[in-house]
Amino acid sequence: KQWYQRRKITGSSGINAEYGVQQLEQRVRVAESAGEEGKTWVVSLVRYLALNKDETRLRELLQRLLASSSPRVHGSDRLELVGELLKVVGASCQRVYSEFKQQLEWAANRS
C-alpha cells in the first residue's frame, strides 16, 4: 500500500529529490517491524519532509501512525513515537504540528 501521493520535489540545488524520498519510504516500509531501525528511518523521513515543508506527506504519515491499531510501532509506544516526531516537525510546519499535537492529546486522553 502506498503511503503518499507521488509528486516531484526539487531542492534548492535543482536536483530532483524524489529518489531520496522514495528510498526513505522504502526503508520505512521494510523496517516496519524492525524496532529501533524502523524508528530511525521514520525520524529521517519526517525530518526530510518537514524541512521541505511537505505537509501532505507529513499529515499522511502522522495520521497513519495515530490510526494504527497496534499500541507499539517501530519498537516504541505509538503515541510516544508520534510525540517524538512532532518535536522533529516543530516550527518547520507549524500547522501540521498544531493539528497533530491536538490529535495526540485527544488520543492520549482516550487511552
Side-chain angles (χ1 to χ4, degrees), residues 17-29:
E18 182 64 21
Y19 178 76
V21 172
Q22 289 174 356
Q23 291 299 304
L24 284 172
E25 290 172 349
Q26 175 70 21
R27 292 190 191 281
V28 168
R29 281 191 298 274

Side-chain angles (χ1 to χ4, degrees), residues 59 62-63 66 79-80 82-87 89-90 93-109:
R59 279 189 177 94
L62 292 169
Q63 189 60 48
L66 276 177
L79 298 179
E80 287 178 16
V82 172
E84 289 178 40
L85 296 175
L86 286 177
K87 291 176 188 173
V89 171
C93 294
Q94 190 62 41
R95 278 189 301 201
V96 173
Y97 175 85
S98 298
E99 179 183 327
F100 281 92
K101 182 72 171 160
Q102 288 178 336
Q103 288 186 38
L104 179 61
E105 289 169 358
W106 182 77
N109 288 334

